[in-house]
Each structure stands twice: as C-alpha cells, then as structure tokens.
Amino acid sequence: MMNDIERVLFNEECLKNAVNEIGRKISSDYRDKNLLMVSILKGSVVFMSDLIRAISIHCMVDFMCVSSYGSGPKTSGVVKILKDLDIEIAGYDVLIVEDILDSGITLSYIMELIRARNPASIRICTLFDKPVKRDVAIKLDYKGLEVPDEFIVGYGLDYNEKYRNLRFVGVLKPKIYDKQNRGSL
Ligand code: IMP
Ligand code: MG
C-alpha cells in the first residue's frame, strides 16, 4: 500500500492539531445550540470519529451516504443518495461534516436537501479544502487544511475504496489511477 504513495502531505500530528482546533471552535460556537453533526459517508468517518472526541459540549450524530464519483478520480457531477438521515432534523443546528471539498457539487446538493427540512441552522465543516477545482461557490464555516490540485488518500479518503486506513494523508501516485483508467477504456 505504501508503494502507491508519492509523498506524505500531512502526518498524524498535523491532522490531530487541525482536528483539535476545529473541535475547540465548534465547542465554543455551539455552546447554547442544539448541535447535530451529519457525517457524509464514507470519506468523513475517520475525521468525524476524531472530531466528536475533540468536542466538549453535547452533540448528536447522524450519517448520510451519497455518491458523487464513479470509479475514477474526477467528480461525475451526478450525486445520488445511498443512505438518508435517521433523525428528523427540524429545529436542530446541523453541522455537515465532510472530508474534502473539491468541485463543491456534492456539498451544494446536500445543503439544499437539508435546508428543505427546516433545521434551525446549517453550517459546513470540512477537513480538507481543494480550492482550485471549485465549480460551485460554497461558504466553508470550518475548514482544516488546504490541499493542492492533486489526488490525496488516507485518513478516510479513498481511491476505489482503498487507502482509507492510512494514518496520514498522502498524494497518490498518478500511475495508479492512470493505469486503472486505461484499463476501463
Ligand atoms: P466534490 O463534489 O467535487 O466537491 O467532491 C467531493 C467528494 O469527492 C469528497 O467527499 C471525496 O469523497 C471526493 N474527493 C475529492 N477530491 C478527492 C481527493 O483528492 N481524494 C479522495 N477523494 C476526493
Ligand atoms: Mg466523500
């Protein structure tokens, strides 16, 4: 698995500091609110599990699963709900927790869907921001680390469902997805 990584972008300590910092801000901002954290599966689970433990106030947790990608490294533009929320969110202060904001297509779709269910408020929290590729303008309320225009994996982020278990975040060697894409043509 390590042979597929070009270089390490963020090590464990760097990720931990970024997550703790976001957790502190959320704990202070939502002190008198009704916080419901919505994790977008599957990429954000590792971030979410560390983030909720960096939060010192009451919070509820729910999950939604959407797919925005085919098997390649680029956004298809098609967003499909694979698992909806369990909790009725009307009246809650919803905080959407994403792994990475790239084109913004996935998050803007999820925002609209959640807004229509009348929460008290909606905010967005993403660990990684890849601003170069943005197609849809989105206000990020909490963000951890900015990433360059490269395909990254680890700490929950995958390529073809693999590499999520890496404890750091690294750049995937382009030959890994070039090889796959050639294979599917
Ligand atoms: P968007 O709709 O283009 O903003 O795509 C967001 C989703 O694409 C994220 O939730 C990730 O699942 C995936 N994604 C975008 N960039 C990367 C990356 O560099 N590595 C792994 N997944 C990515
Ligand atoms: Mg994702």
Side-chain angles (χ1 to χ4, degrees), residues 40 43 68-69 73 75 79 98-107 130 150-153 157-159:
I40 308 303
S68 59
Y69 274 43
T75 303
V79 179
E98 247 296 33
D99 50 357
I100 182 166
L101 187 61
D102 189 10
S103 71
I105 292 170
T106 314
L107 264 188
K130 204 191 272 184
E150 287 176 292
F151 198 80
I152 59 171
V153 291
L157 284 99
D158 73 308
Y159 173 66

Side-chain angles (χ1 to χ4, degrees), residues 1-182:
M1 178 164 68
M2 293 297 286
N3 286 338
D4 299 348
I5 304 301
E6 194 164 85
R7 66 179 196 280
V8 175
L9 211 53
F10 304 113
N11 63 23
E12 281 187 73
E13 183 170 2
C14 179
L15 294 168
K16 191 173 159 193
N17 290 339
V19 172
N20 286 343
E21 180 59 30
I22 298 175
R24 261 195 301 275
K25 282 192 199 138
I26 293 171
S27 305
S28 146
D29 294 354
Y30 284 85
R31 231 178 2 245
D32 305 313
K33 308 254 185 201
N34 219 352
L35 176 58
L36 170 62
M37 300 180 61
V38 171
S39 164
I40 308 303
L41 295 171
K42 304 171 197 170
S44 72
V45 283
V46 179
F47 172 41
M48 179 76 159
S49 75
D50 283 342
L51 181 60
I52 58 174
R53 286 174 291 173
I55 289 176
S56 55
I57 57 167
H58 283 299
C59 69
M60 290 170 72
V61 166
D62 205 351
F63 297 89
M64 180 180 264
C65 187
V66 301
S67 82
S68 59
Y69 274 43
S71 58
K74 298 223 174 71
T75 303
S76 64
V78 180
V79 179
K80 201 166 81 182
I81 299 187
L82 303 177
K83 183 224 170 282
D84 206 341
L85 296 171
D86 296 331
I87 297 172
E88 170 58 59
I89 63 170
Y92 281 100
D93 293 290
V94 173
L95 181 60
I96 301 171
V97 179
E98 247 296 33
D99 50 357
I100 182 166
L101 187 61
D102 189 10
S103 71
I105 292 170
T106 314
L107 264 188
S108 67
Y109 179 84
I110 292 171
M111 283 279 279
E112 287 323 305
L113 205 90
I114 288 184
R115 207 192 304 279
R117 298 177 188 179
N118 298 317
S121 67
I122 316 176
R123 281 187 178 178
I124 290 179
C125 172
T126 183
L127 181 55
F128 301 110
D129 180 21
K130 204 191 272 184
V132 193
K133 287 283 188 61
R134 202 61 41 79
D135 289 332
V136 188
I138 285 194
K139 179 174 176 280
L140 285 178
D141 301 286
Y142 304 92
K143 83 172 187 183
L145 302 156
E146 223 165 81
V147 297
D149 185 16
E150 287 176 292
F151 198 80
I152 59 171
V153 291
Y155 197 70
L157 284 99
D158 73 308
Y159 173 66
N160 270 357
E161 299 297 332
K162 290 182 190 149
Y163 310 100
R164 295 191 197 276
N165 53 320
L166 289 172
R167 302 173 72 97
F168 60 86
V169 164
V171 175
L172 190 64
K173 285 183 183 165
K175 72 168 191 197
I176 303 295
Y177 48 81
D178 287 346
K179 195 166 61 190
Q180 288 254 347
N181 286 348
R182 266 202 306 279

